[in-house]
Amino acid sequence: MCAFPLPATPYKISEWRTAKVKPDYHISVDSMFYSVPYEYINQDVDVKLTDDMVVVYFKHMWLTSHKRLYGRFGQPSTLPEHMPDNHKLYVEHTPEVAIEW
């Protein structure tokens, strides 16, 4: 008989894939797009997939995690910290900001 209790959370089955970071700093997984830091454009990354998460690694180093997307194909999950500065300025420049300026 084993004296160790079972873990509090159930084991999550995962699948591993590789993906290339596109020039828009996203990877494609099952026709959904997930951002990674822009410094990794054109690099191959390892992707760990579970039912609810997409976790991206580069040379065994964790880069980012995203909640897994389902539904309509082509949905993006983009984190602002992954964008180069000029993209952040574009996204942050809303009509409201322009009017306030």
Side-chain angles (χ1 to χ4, degrees), residues 89-101:
L89 286 173
Y90 177 79
V91 170
E92 293 168 355
H93 195 73
T94 63
E96 294 80 19
V97 169
I99 290 170
E100 186 178 309
W101 179 75

Side-chain angles (χ1 to χ4, degrees), residues 13 21 27-29 36-37 65-66 75 78 84 86 93 96 99:
I13 303 267
V21 181
I27 59 169
S28 177
V29 175
V36 300
S65 300
H66 291 268
Q75 296 178 70
T78 306
N86 60 334
H93 195 73
E96 294 80 19
I99 290 170

Side-chain angles (χ1 to χ4, degrees), residues 34-94:
Y34 302 91
S35 67
V36 300
Y38 72 92
E39 295 90 350
Y40 295 91
I41 289 173
N42 292 325
Q43 298 293 323
D44 289 321
V45 293
D46 295 313
V47 184
K48 180 181 177 184
L49 303 169
T50 66
D51 285 341
D52 57 347
M53 291 297 295
V54 174
V55 184
V56 183
Y57 298 88
F58 179 71
K59 296 186 178 180
H60 307 288
M61 179 182 70
W62 176 88
L63 290 181
T64 190
S65 300
H66 291 268
K67 185 173 171 26
R68 192 155 181 191
L69 299 171
Y70 290 99
R72 181 180 47 82
F73 289 117
Q75 296 178 70
S77 176
T78 306
L79 301 178
E81 59 266 24
H82 295 162
M83 297 177 169
D85 289 340
N86 60 334
H87 287 201
K88 286 183 203 173
L89 286 173
Y90 177 79
V91 170
E92 293 168 355
H93 195 73
T94 63

